[in-house]
Amino acid sequence: MPFLIEKKFAVCYNIFTMENAVKIWDKVKKELSNKLSATAFLVWINSIEALTIKDGELVLCAPSKNSRDTVEKNYLEDIKYCINILGYNFTSVLIITEDEKQYFVTEDDAATTLSSMIDVKKEKPLSQFVSKYTFDNFVVGESNKLAFVSAKTVAENPGVNDNLLTLNPLYIYGGVGLGKTHLLHSIGNYLNEHNPSIKVLYVPTETLTNEYFASLSKYSSDKDAYRNFREKYTSVDVLMIDDIQFLQRKGGLQDIIFHIFNALYINGKQIVLSSDRAPREINDIEDRLRTRFEGGLMTDIDTPNIETRIAIIIKKLEKENIALSDDIIYFLAEKINSNIRELEGALLKVIMYSQLINKVPTLELAKEALKVDNIDNGNNIDSNKIIEAVCQYFRISHSEIVGKKRTKDIVEARMIAIYLIREFLDLPLVTIGQIFGGRDHSTIIYSHEKISSSINTLKTSTQIKDIRSMLNI
Ligand code: ADP
Ligand code: MG
């Protein structure tokens, strides 16, 4: 039976050298998750399954007619784009619904047609940059204008220094969820598009650290590992290191960073760094590195004001073709005020929730979706939460903070906790004294005053800022 033999062969071929529709769709989805917003991805794309490849077409299956129609209308072009980026070569993409599934053959039957659809040689590596993190998708406001303009300038003219203004290194700093990583990826995406011959590398500090120690540990068996590591980071035109505050002072790590930095700098290569704080506020870095980090342009990103937050929500909604009433937009922008990642998360929750219960979103529904009464917003923090955060921040235990020990760290932590409790909770002095192991009310007043008087110093203000942001207050 020639047919059977042929089919068997085709199936083997499929297993060993080809990918099936499911695997391809997984890759496409990964690419789409970089391109689309989290909301669009989770609401519309994630529920789509790959069915098969038939006559050169990739056949996908949507859970409902509504889902199929929306994806066809709004996301088909994105899907095709990602398929193309990955180097696949389908004649088209067909989206069917669950009801129509029975008319389609399964993966195995389709194996014979599969090989022609994949041009293996053409397959390109995935970009290291999240494609939705672009300058175009970044909403500019007072809080981030300088960081945005600096990043854009660097993307347009990497490594260029004139005597008046040096943007090397560009050091972007600010709290979590305010767009630092977004800007770094925007530089990468911009360069890939406008200046593809430029070698640009993005790396989170943690990855860089792991790679460095891995290269050292391999040294006895692979002498090249360490050289390759150095080569990788000194042979680029633009190096971007994210979250440099995680740089540790151990095992020669800072030596190698210093070396990489100098090698790039001397050759006019661009360095971009991000951090949650200014160089002088990072405890653990050597002075020679700190000076290097401060040697170019330092620009901070602040928390966005309400207009910017509203603009961000509107931009995200426009991209996804979703309408929300003004009162919901305002509610979200007002409620979530210090972290754009959380703002996006809240928006996603509202949209998912309304999809789930199949109702048009209203303000009531938005509040329900966010279980707004449970949000930590300063009204429902308590002394325990404050103490816990302070202990975590200073890495001391609860019993130490309320106990008798008077080492420098513990005293400092204790005074800060007392200060925050007094500032944010309406508690009598006596009660605060009791919380701290039966201390006298004069001790509480003294601690509060001591911190109040040093609140304008960089150290104390940073500590308070950090702990407040841990507590969302
Ligand atoms: P960070 O690195 O500072 O912690 P991210 O760059 O990861 O923050 O940003 C968190 C999320 O907020 C990302 O999804 C990002 O796209 C979004 N975001 C931040 N700032 C903006 C902005 N100005 N406009 C649009 N989206 C933003
Ligand atoms: Mg980041």
Side-chain angles (χ1 to χ4, degrees), residues 298-326:
M298 289 188 285
T299 163
D300 68 331
I301 305 190
D302 214 340
T303 45
N305 61 18
I306 184 124
E307 287 82 11
T308 310
R309 301 200 298 274
I310 289 175
I312 288 172
I313 299 180
I314 291 177
K315 179 134 194 168
K316 307 237 174 251
L317 291 171
E318 272 170 5
K319 270 209 96 196
E320 284 153 38
N321 261 315
I322 292 175
L324 276 190
S325 60
D326 288 353

Side-chain angles (χ1 to χ4, degrees), residues 133 137-139 144 177-182 316 340-341 344:
Y133 288 171
N137 287 341
F138 193 85
V139 174
N144 57 28
L178 295 182
K180 301 181 296 293
T181 299
H182 187 134
K316 307 237 174 251
I340 298 171
R341 193 176 296 129
E344 286 180 344

Side-chain angles (χ1 to χ4, degrees), residues 15 53 57 96 125 135 151 159 188 191 193-194 228 251 260 265 307 309 319 333 378 387 446 465:
I15 290 169
I53 294 164
E57 271 187 326
I96 60 161
F135 290 124
L191 283 167
E193 191 185 334
H194 294 89
N228 292 343
I260 291 171
Y265 188 82
E307 287 82 11
R309 301 200 298 274
K319 270 209 96 196
I387 291 176
Y446 172 77
K465 199 170 101 192

